[in-house]
Amino acid sequence: MAVELRKALELYHGTVEDLARELLRLLGVNETDRRALEIVLVGGRSTTPGMLAERLGLTAAGATVLLNRLEKQGYVTRSLHPTDRRRVIVVATDLTTRRVRELIRPLAEESFKMMLNWYDPDELELIAGFLCRVGELQRIHRERLRDMDPYPR
């Protein structure tokens, strides 16, 4: 069973990477920009430059360059925070929401229908628990990798 599980995880990770690559092509962004858009959209369509920098492992200057690119493409806007005028918030535009919805909604809807049709509630609970644990393991490993120095060239 361990061999089958390993193969299934490898297949899953490979297909996620393939899907992400196609999203990059269609949206005309790089991987870091795509991830930034995902963070902004999942966070309720807004976040702060500092939070983006932290989540993406960027410096403040790197986050500014990223936001300049995304703003130029019409994917985000920056504005002053409504209650704290010293802070800036980053907001996904309607263009972003529309494009991502067009690209992702079919997959999300088909996946949800498939899951409900193929699995019973106990199995769905097991799958959800697995995905949460795997996500947490990946977050922990990402933090571990961030603390490492790059390999010498």
Side-chain angles (χ1 to χ4, degrees):
M1 188 62 198
V3 171
E4 289 85 7
L5 181 59
R6 182 179 304 263
K7 285 181 181 179
L9 283 170
E10 289 170 358
L11 172 66
Y12 172 74
H13 286 293
T15 59
V16 167
E17 289 177 17
D18 293 342
L19 178 63
R21 207 170 13 264
E22 288 306 312
L23 289 170
L24 299 177
R25 182 182 66 79
L26 292 167
L27 293 171
V29 298
N30 64 39
E31 174 56 28
T32 304
D33 295 355
R34 183 207 60 82
R35 182 69 180 119
L37 291 174
E38 181 181 311
I39 291 167
V40 172
L41 288 169
V42 170
R45 290 191 58 176
S46 72
T47 190
T48 66
M51 194 277 240
L52 272 176
E54 180 184 326
R55 292 280 307 274
L56 296 170
L58 299 174
T59 63
T64 298
V65 170
L66 172 137
L67 291 171
N68 288 344
R69 259 193 324 267
L70 292 176
E71 207 165 34
K72 184 176 180 182
Q73 290 178 282
Y75 287 134
V76 299
T77 60
R78 286 177 274 196
S79 61
L80 294 177
H81 191 279
T83 59
D84 182 353
R85 308 295 281 172
R86 297 168 296 172
R87 295 179 56 202
V88 171
I89 58 170
V90 178
V91 179
T93 63
D94 290 339
L95 173 69
T96 306
T97 305
R98 187 177 70 252
R99 286 186 179 174
V100 170
R101 187 181 314 125
E102 288 171 0
L103 298 171
I104 298 299
R105 181 176 276 165
L107 171 65
E109 288 176 357
E110 289 171 32
S111 298
F112 193 70
K113 285 177 189 175
M114 179 203 69
M115 297 294 277
L116 292 177
N117 289 330
W118 288 3
Y119 300 102
D120 66 41
D122 289 340
E123 291 171 319
L124 291 172
E125 188 176 330
L126 182 68
I127 292 166
F130 171 78
L131 292 172
C132 288
R133 286 179 184 89
V134 168
E136 181 61 15
L137 285 171
Q138 289 180 347
R139 186 196 62 74
I140 290 167
H141 191 64
R142 182 196 72 219
E143 292 301 318
R144 197 176 296 139
L145 293 175
R146 275 192 183 162
D147 291 337
M148 295 173 64
D149 290 331
Y151 290 120
R153 296 194 184 257

